[in-house]
Amino acid sequence: MPTIAVSQLKYGEKLGDPVITKLGNVLFHKGRVINERDIEILKAFLIPSVYIESKNGAEPEAAAEETKVKEAVTASAASVPPFYIEYQNMLKLLKRVFLLANGGQPLPIMDLRNGLEALIQHIETYKVLTFTPKNRNLQDYIYHKSIMVSLTAYSLARWHGMPQKDLMQIALAGLLHDIGVAKTDPAILEKKGRLSQEEMDEIKQHTLAGYQILKNISGINEGVKLTAVQHHEREDGSGYPLGVKGDKIHIYAKIVAIADIYNAMTNERFHKTAMSPYLVLEQLFTESFGKVDPTLVQVFIHKSTQISNGTLVKLSDNRVGEIVFSDRSYPTRPWVNVNGTIVNLATERSLFIEDVIGHV
C-alpha cells in the first residue's frame, strides 16, 4: 500500500487507511475517493502524506470500478458550474468596456445588463465570505473587484429589502462604480508599495471621471451615475470628492460603498495585501458609526456570517478548525472546533480568523 505525499496526490485516488489529525481525530475514513476539496483540507490540516490503495494488488473488478470513479471525478472537475462560466464572460466583457471608456466610446449597457442577469441567475454560488475568482492575477484586480462589488451590492440590497426594480440597477452601480479608473495612469494602479500623496490624489479623480463617462448614458438611472462619484463619500462628510454628508449620499452609493470597502480589503492589490474577511467585517462594524451607514453594515454582517457553520478557517495562531456556532451578538467571532477543542473567539479576543478556507 503506497504512501503518497499530499502535494503529489491526484483526484480519484482512494484512501487505503483513515487519515488521522495530529490530535488523533479521524479526518477522512478509509476508502474515501479524494477530490479537489479534500486535498485542500489535507493541506490545511498539515497532513504530509496518506496511504492509498495499491493498484497492483487490486482485483480486475475493483480496478475497473476505480477507473470508473476516476473518470467520474475527472468529468466532474471538467464540468464548470454555470456561475463560473458567466463570471468569465463578464470578466471579458468588462475588460472591453474599460477600454471603450478610456477611448471615450459608447458603453454596451445592454450587454452588461444581460451579462449581469445571466450571472445573478446563479448567485446562490456566490458566498461573500468565501468566494475567490479562479485564475486571478493582480493585473485584473479592478475587473474582478468590480464584478464582486456588483454581486455583493446586489446581495446586500436584497438583504436590506430594497424594491425589486432597484436590484439590477444597484448591480450595475456596483459593476460600474470604478469605471473612472479607466482614465487613471496604469503605472499608478500597478505600483508596488505605498502610494505618494500626488498618486493618491490622481486616483481620487476616478470618481469624477466615472460620473463624466456615465452621465449621458441611457439604460442606467441617476443612482448608478451618482454611485460612480459618491462611493467614496462618508456619512460624516470625511469622504471625497465633494465631502457630502449622509443625507446627500444616494442609497445606491451607500450600499456600493460597503461592498467596495469589503472587497478592496479582502483582495490582494499591488500596494496592499489581503485581509481576513472577518477582520474586515469587524473593522466595518467599528467604522460604521460615522463613516458608512450603520444599518446597512449590521445587515451585511448579520447576513454574510449566517452561512458560516461548517466553514473551515485558519486562526491567527495558524491552527485550523471548523466553525460550529455563531453567536448573533458576536457575528464575527464564532466558536471554532479545533481538533475537538472549542475555541470561543468572543472570549479569546487575542485570536481572530486569519483566513477562510471553505466548507468541509
Side-chain angles (χ1 to χ4, degrees):
M1 189 179 298
T3 302
I4 299 290
V6 168
S7 60
Q8 302 298 314
L9 199 57
K10 294 183 174 60
Y11 313 148
E13 301 280 13
K14 187 182 290 187
L15 292 176
D17 272 345
V19 177
I20 311 296
T21 67
K22 294 183 186 301
L23 292 185
N25 297 305
V26 177
L27 184 62
F28 294 137
H29 292 282
K30 178 181 178 179
R32 184 183 183 101
V33 177
I34 295 296
N35 59 33
E36 181 179 4
R37 187 78 205 103
D38 294 339
I39 294 175
E40 290 181 25
I41 292 170
L42 288 167
K43 290 177 180 177
F45 275 90
L46 306 179
I47 305 295
S49 60
V50 295
Y51 293 103
I52 63 167
E53 286 191 0
S54 172
K55 297 180 182 61
N56 296 333
E59 294 295 323
E61 294 83 3
E65 184 61 31
E66 187 172 349
T67 300
K68 286 181 184 176
V69 169
K70 282 188 178 181
E71 288 173 352
V73 170
T74 302
S76 174
S79 60
V80 180
F83 175 86
Y84 290 98
I85 294 172
E86 299 301 342
Y87 186 100
Q88 289 302 314
N89 290 339
M90 179 56 74
L91 184 66
K92 291 176 188 173
L93 174 59
L94 205 54
K95 288 180 179 181
R96 181 163 67 89
V97 167
F98 269 67
L99 285 173
L100 291 171
N102 183 44
Q105 301 299 308
L107 305 189
I109 293 298
M110 281 309 298
D111 289 350
L112 287 169
R113 187 184 183 112
N114 292 338
L116 269 182
E117 286 177 348
L119 190 56
I120 285 169
Q121 277 187 354
H122 308 286
I123 196 155
E124 70 281 354
T125 304
Y126 180 71
K127 308 299 183 190
V128 173
L129 292 188
T130 57
F131 176 76
T132 302
K134 296 181 182 299
N135 304 319
R136 177 177 50 178
N137 60 61
L138 285 179
Q139 281 77 13
D140 290 342
Y141 162 79
I142 194 65
Y143 313 118
H144 285 292
K145 188 185 71 111
S146 295
I147 299 172
M148 289 187 284
V149 167
S150 176
L151 295 171
T152 303
Y154 178 88
S155 300
L156 176 52
R158 273 206 312 179
W159 295 336
H160 188 56
M162 292 288 289
Q164 185 69 32
K165 67 181 178 61
D166 287 311
L167 296 182
M168 183 52 62
Q169 291 291 323
I170 288 171
L172 282 165
L175 192 68
L176 295 172
H177 77 286
D178 267 345
I179 191 65
V181 171
K183 299 285 191 179
T184 304
D185 183 352
I188 295 177
L189 297 175
E190 297 180 8
K191 179 181 175 181
K192 296 176 181 177
R194 193 175 185 85
L195 299 177
S196 69
Q197 188 58 52
E198 292 77 13
E199 289 165 337
M200 282 300 303
D201 289 342
E202 179 168 344
I203 282 183
K204 287 181 178 181
Q205 293 300 310
H206 80 277
T207 52
L208 296 168
Y211 184 76
Q212 290 299 318
I213 290 167
L214 299 181
K215 69 177 183 178
N216 295 321
I217 293 179
S218 58
I220 54 176
N221 66 23
E222 193 62 20
V224 178
K225 299 170 186 179
L226 285 173
T227 297
V229 74
Q230 290 185 341
H231 64 277
H232 284 289
E233 300 288 4
R234 297 296 176 252
E235 297 291 311
D236 60 1
S238 63
Y240 66 85
L242 302 176
V244 296
K245 294 193 174 183
D247 60 339
K248 302 295 185 188
I249 304 172
H250 197 282
I251 183 63
Y252 289 13
K254 293 182 184 221
I255 290 171
V256 168
I258 292 168
D260 183 39
I261 292 168
Y262 174 81
N263 283 290
M265 294 176 72
T266 55
N267 284 279
E268 187 177 355
R269 291 172 274 176
F270 279 100
H271 60 285
K272 285 187 179 177
T273 56
M275 282 177 62
S276 155
Y278 282 84
L279 272 186
V280 173
L281 290 180
E282 283 195 5
Q283 190 164 324
L284 266 173
F285 180 74
T286 58
E287 288 191 357
S288 66
F289 300 99
K291 297 295 183 184
V292 285
D293 189 294
T295 302
L296 288 170
V297 167
Q298 293 208 1
V299 169
F300 183 57
I301 293 173
H302 176 69
K303 290 291 188 178
S304 64
T305 57
Q306 267 187 346
I307 56 170
S308 294
N309 288 358
T311 301
L312 202 63
V313 295
K314 183 174 79 171
L315 300 181
S316 51
D317 61 1
N318 287 324
R319 287 183 296 167
V320 172
E322 176 188 349
I323 293 178
V324 292
F325 176 70
S326 295
D327 186 340
R328 298 326 305 162
S329 301
Y330 305 99
T332 62
R333 292 193 159 269
W335 297 11
V336 180
N337 180 0
V338 180
N339 287 330
T341 300
I342 301 298
V343 179
N344 181 356
L345 295 177
T347 56
E348 299 195 34
R349 305 293 295 187
S350 62
L351 292 173
F352 59 87
I353 293 174
E354 179 72 49
D355 192 20
V356 178
I357 299 171
H359 277 73
V360 177

